[in-house]
Amino acid sequence: MKTKLLSVFALVLVLASSCAQKDDQAAKIKALEDKIAQIETSNTAVTPVNAQSATDADPSTLGLFEFTEMEYDFGTINEGKVVEHVFNFTNNGQAPLVISNITASCGCTSPDWTKTPVNPGEKGMVKVVFNSTAKSGAQAPTVTIQANTNPTVTRLRMKGSVTPKLAGAAAPAGPLKR
């Protein structure tokens, strides 16, 4: 009888503790549901933690390109000739102008530029070299400049025509009469 009484007492303790856990869980669930209801009924927008905000750049922190020309016409050249042209610019912005990168439209074009910051009122340059080897016909290589300007991307262009090399003295077509 003593063992039965002990087992009944142990069963009552287990049931009582599981009921207390259920009551605790129910209270936590109720608290979460209340918080969700408050968020849903309020008119405030929730901004994700990883959201990025975009603001307009302050003009006083930007450089400003003023190129003497944006396009250079090299005319008609023979295939294999290398054309170089220097595009000069003045920084008319309120901050030092920094060119972060320049990319060419193809492997036939290579750029070089002023690597140091160009202070307001000072001059800089972008040199573009076009190699016409294996090129023929109308050509328009471009370079794309990325800098601390607005807009951040500026394009310069060369244009012209490449006359192909002659393949040498062509052999006569067909049989020869003697």
Side-chain angles (χ1 to χ4, degrees):
M1 175 104 150
K2 224 179 189 182
T3 56
K4 278 189 175 185
L5 190 58
L6 282 175
S7 56
V8 168
F9 182 69
L11 182 63
V12 169
L13 279 176
V14 169
L15 288 175
S17 68
S18 69
C19 288
Q21 285 178 347
K22 284 183 182 177
D23 288 343
D24 187 39
Q25 287 177 346
K28 287 180 181 178
I29 290 171
K30 175 76 172 123
L32 286 173
E33 287 175 344
D34 290 343
K35 284 183 181 180
I36 291 171
Q38 283 179 333
I39 291 171
E40 287 175 343
T41 57
S42 69
N43 289 332
T44 59
V46 177
T47 304
V49 176
N50 62 349
Q52 296 180 355
S53 62
T55 58
D56 291 335
D58 180 6
S60 66
T61 64
L62 298 177
L64 178 65
F65 280 124
E66 185 175 311
F67 280 93
T68 53
E69 60 185 334
M70 301 286 289
E71 182 176 277
Y72 172 70
D73 187 346
F74 58 80
T76 301
I77 60 171
N78 291 324
E79 180 183 343
K81 184 173 180 187
V82 175
V83 177
E84 287 186 16
H85 184 71
V86 177
F87 292 90
N88 293 303
F89 68 88
T90 303
N91 176 6
N92 286 340
Q94 298 179 21
L97 192 151
V98 178
I99 297 174
S100 56
N101 192 29
I102 296 184
T103 54
S105 60
C106 68
C108 62
T109 308
S110 59
D112 189 20
W113 63 93
T114 304
K115 306 283 196 287
T116 58
V118 178
N119 289 321
E122 292 184 354
K123 297 185 181 306
M125 67 86 189
V126 175
K127 181 171 91 171
V128 181
V129 179
F130 169 67
N131 185 346
S132 66
T133 302
K135 300 288 181 187
S136 64
Q139 299 296 313
T142 61
V143 291
T144 302
I145 306 168
Q146 295 173 331
N148 64 328
T149 56
N150 188 13
T152 58
V153 174
T154 304
R155 286 187 180 76
L156 301 175
R157 187 171 93 130
M158 295 175 79
K159 69 177 184 176
S161 182
V162 178
T163 304
K165 285 184 182 178
L166 297 176
L176 294 176
K177 289 187 181 181
R178 292 192 188 239

